[in-house]
Structure formats: C-alpha cells, structure tokens
Amino acid sequence: MRWLKSAALPSLTLAMLPLPAILCSPQNSSFVHQKRYAMGTVFEIVIYDEDLPRADAAARAALDEVVRLDGMMSNLSRMNRTAHFQPVRIPREIYEVIEESLYYSRHSDGQFDISVGPLVDLWKAALAGGPLPTAADQASARRCVGYQKIELTPPDRIQFHSDCMRLDLGAIGKGYAVDRTAEILNASGIHRAYIDAGGSTIYALGAPPGGTAWRVRLRDPSRKLGPEVMLRNNSVSTSEQSAPSSLQGDAPGHIIVPGTGKPLQTRYAISVAAPSATASDALSTTLLLLGPTKGAALVKTLHNVSAMWIDSDGQRTIVGDGVSFFLTGENRPIQVSPPKNRIAATSKAANELLP
C-alpha cells in the first residue's frame, strides 16, 4: 500500500501523448487546459468543446472538487483518533472510499489494506533518510493493521476494532477524485475530456476531435515494448515501487506489504485498465502486490479489466477482458482471453467491473 502525500517521491511516468502536441493540432482549436496541485501531485484536465466558457467553468468546478476531497482525505485525524471501539460519523465521500477499499481488501486476501497507516508512518521516516525500523517497531505496527477490524454502518458511521488502527487512503484516493471529476464534467455537458492525476491515474471521457479514443503511453521499465492503450470512457492506472535515488542510497520504496510490514520488492511495473478510476487505482496497487501469477488469477474473475505487468527485461504478463494493450515496439495489439467465474460485486466501482 502507498500513502497519499508523497511529494518527495519520484512521480510515476504514465503519460499520454504530450499535451502541447495535442493542443496545438490545427483541427483541435477549441479546447480548455487547466491544472491544479492536489493530493501531492498535479491534476490536469483537457476539454474539447465548442462552448469554451462552459468548458472553462466545468474544469474549474471539477478541480475545486479535487481540492475539496484532498482536504477531506488529508484531514482524517479525528476519525483515526476517535473511532477506536466506538462508532463515529464520517463524510459521505470518505465512507464511499472506505467501502470501496474493503471490497478490494476482501478479494485480494488483504494485500490491499487501507489500515496500513501505522506501517506507512514507520517507513516514511526511513524513506526520508532516517534509520530503518527495528523488528520490534515493525511488530508493534503490524498489530494495528487489518482491514477485518474496520466496521462500516450505513449510511455514515465507522468503528475500529483495534486500539491503534489508522487509515491511509493513498492507494485509492486519487482514483476516487478522478471519478468525481469525470462526474462533474459529464453533469456540465462535457463529453470530450482527458483527466490526468499525476500521470499515474488517467480517465478519458469520449474521444478527442478526429479520433475514436485517447492514446495513452504506458510505463515500460525495459524501454523495449512501447506499451500503449486507447481509452474511451474508461481509465488506466500504473504502479511500481519507487527506486532509491542517489541521495537516498538504499532507502526503501513507498509501497508497503501489509502482511510482512516491509516495503515491496518487485521488478515489475503494472498498468491496469478498468471502467472507473477508483477501480484502476486500487487494482494497480493490489496487482503489483500480488504479482503476475496471483494477480492474473484475480483479474480473470473481473469483467472489463485488463492488466499488464512488465519487468526491466521486457518480460510481460497480460490478462483480462478489458481494452487491449498495444506494444508499439512490436507493432501489434495484445488480445486477452475472456474470464470465467467472476466474483460478486459489492460496491459502486465493483459493479462496473461485472456484467
């Protein structure tokens, strides 16, 4: 799991075709491009619409919502301080994000776990250059972790069955904010838009002028495959463990394995395409933690989801029945087989993953 505020970390490098190249195209003259810093990254919106004042107002309203959600998700101190062994009321948006998170926790056997906050705090100091946590420190923090200890009571109450639990929404918060952005744009009559949350989570509304979908270039640690995906009314997210920098030496990465309490060690980057940004964001972390073998088994139970693991040698695993990934280095699309035995949906974003 990863945390929300990570400005000191290197950003992930999932990117669409360069914005200036798209915006300066002669046939694409009616556009609005706005950006705002929130959730430790930069949110960008590109809108094509004949009514530019309407597009401008819609983009501002959407980004205002992202900033509002950022403040709400960052200010979880009261809940983390008072929900131990007693129910407390929380905002509707936070309730929805936690509900979605528990869905992915259950179906990943706890690999996705927003209760990892105590472990995140422990390793943040080490990532910043401090000493590594001792075995006793890690054991103490692991005692506080476990999504099974979170109880939600509709419509707006939460209770922790632990005396030291602390939630961290960093592995799903950006995706939820991107979905809210898309909802606001849709409600404003905007149907051609590209929403980019720091390059790691992207949602595409409709298609750009003259095209059938938005072309998105994906992360490729091998620099051999040139992976891309075409998005139209769906999302893609990429996750990988942050590499130590020359200044940090052997500092640990930012994604923590809930079961071991240690930073994840993996050679993969993963991209996940899904109907919603909430789903792609949560699944990208979940599937990176699970790895290609266990992760592929989970993806095969989902509808309209595709996942691609790539390592530094160019080895890849691609699975799912969502949109196809294209390996431009090999000049061909990669088709995947339809899944069987899909799991039951239990939440809003999960419903979008099933028939």
Side-chain angles (χ1 to χ4, degrees), residues 37 59 94 106 121 152:
Y37 184 83
I94 299 300
R106 288 190 295 271
D121 287 343
L152 290 176

Side-chain angles (χ1 to χ4, degrees), residues 80 82-86 115 118 141-146 148-150 159-166:
N80 282 329
T82 62
H84 304 96
F85 302 113
Q86 63 177 343
S115 71
R142 283 202 308 274
R143 183 181 68 83
C144 307
V145 176
Q148 304 93 333
K149 303 171 187 176
I150 303 170
Q159 180 176 351
F160 302 154
H161 296 281
S162 165
D163 61 356
C164 55
M165 178 169 286
R166 192 184 74 78

Side-chain angles (χ1 to χ4, degrees), residues 213-276:
W214 298 86
R215 181 183 177 189
V216 182
R217 188 173 298 125
L218 303 174
R219 176 77 176 109
D220 179 9
S222 72
R223 300 185 180 180
K224 299 175 181 178
L225 303 179
E228 296 182 353
V229 68
M230 303 295 286
L231 295 183
R232 183 185 180 99
N233 298 323
N234 53 1
S235 175
V236 69
S237 293
T238 288
S239 287
E240 64 181 330
Q241 182 65 292
S242 56
S245 71
S246 57
L247 295 177
Q248 293 172 319
D250 293 327
H254 68 294
I255 298 177
I256 309 300
V257 181
T260 67
K262 298 179 183 297
L264 175 67
Q265 293 184 346
T266 179
R267 64 185 187 275
Y268 291 100
I270 183 170
S271 295
V272 180
S276 74

Side-chain angles (χ1 to χ4, degrees), residues 25-316:
S25 175
Q27 66 177 0
N28 301 338
S29 56
S30 297
F31 69 87
V32 165
H33 174 210
Q34 291 191 21
K35 56 186 177 180
R36 196 86 58 85
Y37 184 83
M39 298 188 175
T41 192
V42 176
F43 279 70
E44 294 191 70
I45 299 176
V46 177
I47 297 173
Y48 292 103
D49 196 83
E50 293 182 358
D51 188 340
L52 292 184
R54 176 181 69 171
D56 185 74
R60 291 184 185 280
L63 290 173
D64 285 346
E65 174 69 356
V66 171
V67 172
R68 185 184 74 86
L69 290 172
D70 183 21
M72 186 178 294
M73 292 184 192
S74 299
N75 189 24
L76 297 177
S77 57
R78 180 180 178 275
M79 177 189 71
N80 282 329
R81 188 176 63 251
T82 62
H84 304 96
F85 302 113
Q86 63 177 343
V88 298
R89 182 174 286 113
I90 56 178
R92 173 186 58 83
E93 295 88 344
I94 299 300
Y95 187 98
E96 289 181 356
V97 174
I98 294 172
E99 186 177 39
E100 298 287 352
S101 300
L102 294 180
Y103 170 84
Y104 294 108
S105 293
R106 288 190 295 271
H107 293 291
S108 66
D109 293 326
Q111 288 296 310
F112 185 94
D113 195 336
I114 57 172
S115 71
V116 77
L119 287 169
V120 167
D121 287 343
L122 202 61
W123 287 99
K124 266 187 178 180
L127 186 62
L132 295 177
T134 65
D137 292 336
Q138 295 176 51
S140 178
R142 283 202 308 274
R143 183 181 68 83
C144 307
V145 176
Y147 73 93
Q148 304 93 333
K149 303 171 187 176
I150 303 170
E151 179 182 355
L152 290 176
T153 303
D156 60 0
R157 292 183 182 273
I158 189 171
Q159 180 176 351
F160 302 154
H161 296 281
S162 165
D163 61 356
C164 55
M165 178 169 286
R166 192 184 74 78
L167 304 191
D168 184 287
L169 302 179
I172 195 170
K174 282 195 298 184
Y176 182 85
V178 167
D179 282 337
R180 285 291 300 132
T181 298
E183 290 173 9
I184 289 172
L185 295 183
N186 254 324
S188 301
I190 302 300
H191 304 300
R192 295 177 182 268
Y194 185 95
I195 306 160
D196 184 336
S200 62
T201 294
I202 290 170
Y203 188 90
L205 274 175
T212 60
W214 298 86
R215 181 183 177 189
V216 182
R217 188 173 298 125
L218 303 174
R219 176 77 176 109
D220 179 9
S222 72
R223 300 185 180 180
K224 299 175 181 178
L225 303 179
E228 296 182 353
V229 68
M230 303 295 286
L231 295 183
R232 183 185 180 99
N233 298 323
N234 53 1
S235 175
V236 69
S237 293
T238 288
S239 287
E240 64 181 330
Q241 182 65 292
S242 56
S245 71
S246 57
L247 295 177
Q248 293 172 319
D250 293 327
H254 68 294
I255 298 177
I256 309 300
V257 181
T260 67
K262 298 179 183 297
L264 175 67
Q265 293 184 346
T266 179
R267 64 185 187 275
Y268 291 100
I270 183 170
S271 295
V272 180
S276 74
T278 304
S280 70
D281 192 16
L283 283 170
S284 67
T285 301
T286 302
L287 297 175
L288 186 69
L289 285 161
L290 286 172
T293 301
K294 293 182 179 179
L298 174 58
V299 173
K300 289 177 181 178
T301 68
L302 302 173
H303 177 56
N304 210 17
V305 172
S306 298
M308 176 174 60
W309 291 260
I310 299 177
D311 70 11
S312 57
D313 294 326
Q315 299 297 313
R316 70 270 192 184

